[in-house]
Amino acid sequence: MNKEEGLNINISAPNLISVCVDTSDRGEFSGRLYQCYSEEPWCFENVVQLLHLMDKLYDCISYPQASTESRSFIKRDKEPILKLQKKIPQETILKQKGIVATFAIYVQYRQNATWQGDVLWMERGIKQHFYSALELIKLIDSVLGEYEI
């Protein structure tokens, strides 16, 4: 049994991502986001960019479907939904490693204007369920607090 099977990671989930944290400084972190629809990583410089990239991915693949629509102060026309095709296997994205830490994230639901799912700290093999995007960030931050660079 491989590591992914032992921790019950749904490696066939279309929205499975790997977040590779390369720097962490006083609660802010940056790094790379890997997903199976792009051969190149999506880089992020802070937590807000990471959440935005993740939300954009989930909107593009329509999984998981959002139960609410985001509001804004500025009225914008809806962007056409891009249909993405898988380019690399999920096993490949789970092999990517961050300089500071690596997290595999699977968002199961987007309900009540937030996310619910599982996050796995890859270096230690510890899996936690989260009930909101804020809780996800707090879980990641609790790990990164040990590794301030």
Side-chain angles (χ1 to χ4, degrees):
M1 175 166 38
N2 67 28
K3 187 175 183 180
E4 290 83 8
E5 289 172 354
L7 294 168
N8 295 323
I9 295 175
N10 184 1
I11 62 170
S12 63
N15 67 332
L16 179 67
I17 64 167
S18 179
V19 174
C20 300
V21 177
D22 293 332
T23 64
S24 174
D25 184 29
R26 293 183 299 264
E28 197 60 77
F29 56 91
S30 64
R32 298 162 281 128
L33 180 151
Y34 289 88
Q35 36 74 24
C36 64
Y37 302 97
S38 173
E39 293 174 357
E40 297 298 317
W42 292 355
C43 297
F44 61 92
E45 295 179 12
N46 55 48
V47 176
V48 174
Q49 281 184 349
L50 172 62
L51 294 176
H52 181 72
L53 288 172
M54 290 172 67
D55 205 38
K56 189 173 185 172
L57 171 67
Y58 304 148
D59 286 343
C60 285
I61 63 173
S62 297
Y63 186 85
Q65 292 241 311
S67 65
T68 59
E69 207 170 296
S70 296
R71 297 187 291 174
S72 174
F73 286 109
I74 301 168
K75 182 123 174 116
R76 294 187 181 143
D77 293 333
K78 283 196 169 199
E79 293 180 26
I81 295 176
L82 304 171
K83 288 296 179 191
L84 301 176
Q85 299 294 322
K86 288 187 178 182
K87 294 185 178 179
I88 57 173
Q90 274 95 331
E91 296 87 3
T92 304
I93 66 171
L94 291 178
K95 291 177 182 172
Q96 304 300 326
K97 299 292 178 206
I99 295 170
V100 178
T102 310
F103 302 92
I105 301 172
Y106 170 54
V107 174
Q108 294 172 298
Y109 309 103
R110 290 196 294 170
Q111 297 176 341
N112 303 318
T114 193
W115 305 336
Q116 299 82 37
D118 296 311
V119 58
L120 172 68
W121 180 14
M122 296 296 284
E123 286 80 7
R124 297 271 174 93
I126 300 171
K127 182 178 172 183
Q128 290 285 331
H129 190 75
F130 58 90
Y131 296 95
S132 69
L134 177 60
E135 187 176 14
L136 169 63
I137 297 305
K138 284 182 170 184
L139 286 167
I140 292 172
D141 188 57
S142 70
V143 168
L144 299 179
E146 297 178 20
Y147 300 104
E148 290 296 318
I149 292 179

